[in-house]
Amino acid sequence: SLGLSYEALLSICAARLVAATKASMGRHRAKAAAITQRYEGGAHLVAIASELDLPPTMLARVVLEERYSLRKGAKGRHGAGALLRSPSLIDDPRLRSEVAAAVASDAAYGPAVDAARRLTGLQQELVLSQELRARGIPFLSEEQLRERGEAKTPDALLPVPLLVRGRQVHWVDSKATFGDPASHAEYAATQFASYVNRYASGLVLYWFGFDEAIDDSDDLVLLDAFPDDCELMSHCALLTAPALAR
């Protein structure tokens, strides 16, 4: 046993597959004309994807971009994503059926997978809010922060800081994933750094666990569950604590 939950193992495998796919997409897009020619010669998208070791949805994306001269990697109505989400929009009957089959067979990419990930994220954000309310900890939600016009919106901003493992926490962010070095570095650069600059130190909950090697910042407390030993900082403690806000 690796000492990891089923959810953690799924998260790790998904992250590695996504990284490998990103690394190989340029190579596959460079061969888009040849791949599309194979499809037009009668090969099935799922079979080609298996042969190239590429997720079927991403193989379908390559073919759609080539077939309809779509901008590679574009999002919204100008990209292949709209056709992957709604294959019924594809005018060619065979391609429509092939794309639908590719998306349905893909356990790592596609609209259903994206929806499941979003749902899991929302579920864990709900768990976080329930944990805060159960302990009587006042907080502003991400939605409330947006309504207030805040540009930086962690999942919970704490008007009164918490003391967690002897460290001040001014905000909490929920991550329904396993915290591996690559994903944590991306989160740190795109989210956590701005939260620290705006609100000072915070707590990140990696609900499915994390690699201990990433727990190396004085500004971030990393945990895999909401701590039972946290406490609201008193007025006196706030006056005597080192100033962390920037």
Side-chain angles (χ1 to χ4, degrees), residues 43-68:
H44 295 291
L45 293 183
V46 172
I48 299 172
S50 177
E51 181 182 326
L52 297 178
D53 197 22
L54 188 67
T57 297
M58 300 308 289
L59 188 282
R61 178 182 290 274
V62 170
V63 172
L64 288 169
E65 289 172 347
E66 177 69 17
R67 183 78 174 267
Y68 293 105

Side-chain angles (χ1 to χ4, degrees), residues 10-11 13-15 17-18 107-123 176:
L10 278 181
S11 180
C13 291
L17 177 59
V18 168
Y109 280 90
V113 176
D114 291 341
R117 286 174 181 158
R118 283 195 298 272
L119 179 58
T120 301
L122 291 172
Q123 287 174 331

Side-chain angles (χ1 to χ4, degrees), residues 170-224:
H170 298 260
W171 53 268
V172 187
D173 209 53
S174 168
K175 295 300 179 192
T177 186
F178 180 86
D180 63 85
S183 62
H184 180 70
E186 183 175 350
Y187 287 137
T190 61
Q191 298 178 17
F192 305 152
S194 60
Y195 299 162
V196 170
N197 288 334
R198 179 71 178 87
Y199 306 116
S201 52
L203 167 63
V204 178
L205 292 171
Y206 281 114
W207 295 103
F208 303 151
F210 57 91
D211 187 327
E212 292 183 359
I214 69 175
D215 192 7
D216 59 0
S217 171
D218 292 335
D219 293 318
L220 300 176
V221 178
L222 306 184
L223 296 174
D224 60 7

